[in-house]
Amino acid sequence: VANEVLTKLPPATNQRLFDTALPAGADPKAEARKTAKSLARTAFRRPPSDAELDTLLRVYALAAGQGKSHADALRLMVKAILVSPQFVFITPGPSAPTSAPGDIVPLDDHQLAARLSYFLWATMPDAELSALADAGKLRDPAVLAAQARRLIADTRARALFDGFGAQWLGVDKLAGKAFDPAKFPQMTPALRAAMYDEARLVFESVLRDNASLATFIDGDDTFLNAQLAPIYGVKDVAGPQMRKVKLTDPNRGGILTMPGVLATTSFPDRTSPVNRGVWVLEQVLGEHVPPPPANVPALDKQDQKKIANMTLRQRTEMHVANPACASCHKVLDPIGFGLENFDAIGRWRDKDDSGGPIDAAGQLPGAKRFSTPAQLKQIIAGRTDDFARNLTGRMLAYALCRQLEGYDEVVVDNLTDALAKDGRRMQTLVVGVVTSYPFTHRRLTSPGDPNAK
């Protein structure tokens, strides 16, 4: 990989790094050390230690001793930088305290700058973050919070959706998901891209405007273009550019009825009430749904003559007559059938594929009844605490790049409580994650281990 990176450097970069002749009378090793210090500062996202520079200079000397030119010796040194642990991992600086395995230690300023930047931008810290780290100011909670808000306001914060939001909603799978071309010829690459962009723009608007997390459930603004508007039945939207549109249909709006989400939770040729129910329970409300028993036949294995005139709801209800299935499906299916008015790519319909009328009625625990997607959305919106806690836990895990452990649950509880006191605003969630104890600390697994947990 390092070889491939070096062969694809832009000409100007390649010339700046390797094709500059040594000044007359200059010491090649001294010039190489200057280059190593500059490159390592960028690649390691912190100032390199003298020992790290000495290691890179030994690589340079090895190449020079074999008769390589100054430029070729520098190339070998750059390869060493690209395969070093300091480049691959976010490592502590030379002044980091040594502690025993299992100890929890604070991140130094440069580690914190890198963790923050990769969390929100998926790239290395910029000049302002690096300068604050150099000055030792970033661990001040007020400074850290201000920097998080600055990064959020930047266009590079799109990375938070591409890395976290798309995975949370499931639309990261949309581009590669198969659909029956005979039934859904509309699912072109342009429509898939528009579905993805709608989810991204809604996520970004909630983040940028510091809106309430409840907007994800009951918001009535979305973003459409000429490809996506017909799925909503919205007219007078022309061109490929996505633009903000206010929805007037109470059955629309929010992530539950977003075409991209509805499409990713469907089968290639039909809807899946079970998949949609699982998605709402797990991705929205944070509940765990156990896998189905292994010995239950799929719907397509049912007696075709017996089910010829049945709606999908009737077929599913017959399918789950097995008591082993009923305990889960009595919760899953009502949610999924509450969204059955939307076909496999999110278009509204009054009849299912069998020609039978859609029955979207159901009841959730707590005797909460509904008969339309709008009423189902209202019920889900009434569980904002569950939704906020689920999103908080997922975002914290993403920011830490690890699964949450039992001891993290207290942090999630505290963040959720703080959210509720501030109207459950999106930026409050992000800043809360960034300033949390797990985000600003790491656990050592061996003496001097650079890897954070």
Side-chain angles (χ1 to χ4, degrees):
V1 174
N3 282 330
E4 184 177 353
V5 168
L6 291 179
T7 59
K8 292 182 178 180
L9 284 175
T13 303
N14 191 71
Q15 183 175 10
R16 177 169 58 84
L17 292 177
F18 307 122
D19 294 343
T20 302
L22 282 170
D27 180 359
K29 288 186 178 180
E31 294 299 316
R33 191 176 187 89
K34 290 179 184 178
T35 301
K37 187 174 184 178
S38 174
L39 291 177
R41 172 64 181 86
T42 301
F44 298 170
R45 299 157 297 257
R46 58 169 175 77
S49 67
D50 289 339
E52 290 165 341
L53 289 177
D54 290 342
T55 299
L56 295 176
L57 264 294
R58 284 197 293 270
V59 174
Y60 173 87
L62 177 64
Q66 295 176 347
K68 300 291 185 181
S69 68
H70 178 68
D72 286 341
L74 287 180
R75 284 188 174 88
L76 186 62
M77 188 176 70
V78 171
K79 289 180 186 178
I81 289 174
L82 294 178
V83 299
S84 68
Q86 293 88 340
F87 175 71
V88 176
F89 301 103
I90 299 175
T91 58
S95 61
T98 56
S99 302
D103 283 356
I104 297 175
V105 298
L107 298 180
D108 65 38
D109 285 76
H110 292 99
Q111 286 177 296
L112 195 52
R115 177 173 275 189
L116 173 61
S117 186
Y118 282 107
F119 170 41
L120 294 178
W121 284 357
T123 191
M124 63 197 312
D126 66 355
E128 183 171 335
L129 262 182
S130 295
L132 287 168
D134 290 345
K137 296 180 178 179
L138 196 57
R139 296 190 67 250
D140 181 333
V143 174
L144 185 57
Q147 285 299 302
R149 294 187 186 278
R150 180 180 71 85
L151 267 62
I152 288 170
D154 192 281
T155 56
R156 284 170 284 188
R158 167 178 175 154
L160 184 60
F161 176 80
D162 291 333
F164 169 73
Q167 185 181 54
W168 164 49
L169 296 176
V171 295
D172 57 329
K173 306 179 184 71
L174 191 58
K177 185 174 176 61
F179 288 91
D180 186 335
K183 286 189 173 183
F184 305 109
Q186 302 88 351
M187 286 301 286
T188 61
L191 179 58
R192 294 169 191 252
M195 288 179 174
Y196 183 93
D197 283 343
E198 178 196 17
R200 174 179 63 83
L201 290 167
V202 168
F203 183 93
E204 289 177 350
S205 68
V206 174
L207 177 62
R208 181 182 60 252
D209 299 340
N210 197 19
S212 168
L213 299 182
T215 308
F216 283 123
I217 306 299
D218 57 13
D220 57 5
D221 288 329
T222 195
F223 295 83
L224 306 177
N225 65 1
Q227 283 75 35
L228 188 55
I231 302 296
Y232 275 90
V234 173
K235 299 179 180 179
D236 301 324
V237 175
Q241 187 70 28
M242 302 292 287
R243 76 284 316 269
K244 193 172 185 178
V245 175
K246 184 166 289 293
L247 302 171
T248 58
D249 183 350
N251 289 309
R252 289 288 193 179
I255 58 176
L256 270 67
T257 63
M258 202 171 273
V261 170
L262 295 167
T264 55
T265 52
S266 294
F267 290 126
D269 60 343
R270 65 169 177 84
T271 60
S272 173
V274 173
N275 287 350
R276 289 177 175 178
V278 169
W279 183 88
V280 172
L281 286 174
E282 292 189 337
Q283 304 302 111
V284 177
L285 299 177
E287 296 185 9
H288 173 67
V289 179
N295 59 346
V296 178
L299 285 182
D300 58 7
K301 302 298 183 182
Q302 292 175 323
D303 185 329
Q304 296 302 306
K305 291 183 178 179
K306 185 176 181 180
I307 65 173
N309 296 317
M310 288 185 177
T311 64
L312 181 60
R313 179 165 192 149
Q314 292 168 334
R315 291 173 59 190
T316 303
E317 288 172 347
M318 182 178 71
H319 170 73
V320 298
N322 186 331
C325 305
S327 60
C328 287
H329 280 273
K330 69 181 181 181
V331 178
L332 288 176
D333 293 352
I335 297 174
F337 285 122
L339 299 171
E340 263 296 278
N341 281 111
F342 303 105
D343 73 3
I345 62 172
R347 295 173 298 187
W348 182 267
R349 59 182 183 169
D350 295 309
K351 296 182 179 181
D352 75 359
D353 294 340
S354 71
I358 298 290
D359 180 4
Q363 179 176 332
L364 294 182
K368 296 184 180 295
R369 297 181 179 274
F370 60 89
S371 58
T372 66
Q375 293 172 359
L376 174 60
K377 281 179 20 179
Q378 289 176 355
I379 294 173
I380 300 299
R383 295 183 59 178
T384 312
D385 286 342
D386 295 329
F387 174 60
R389 193 183 193 286
N390 173 53
L391 191 59
T392 298
R394 289 178 179 275
M395 186 172 289
L396 180 62
Y398 174 78
L400 299 177
C401 300
R402 64 169 173 82
Q403 290 185 336
L404 298 186
E405 306 289 347
Y407 50 79
D408 294 311
E409 296 303 314
V410 175
V411 177
V412 176
D413 288 340
N414 291 339
L415 289 174
T416 306
D417 291 343
L419 267 178
K421 294 176 182 176
D422 191 40
R424 300 188 181 89
R425 297 186 179 277
M426 185 65 164
Q427 288 187 23
T428 304
L429 169 57
V430 175
V431 171
V433 167
V434 166
T435 55
S436 69
Y437 187 86
F439 191 89
T440 57
H441 290 71
R442 62 192 178 99
R443 183 189 298 274
L444 299 179
T445 55
S446 63
D449 186 355
N451 297 315
K453 270 196 173 183

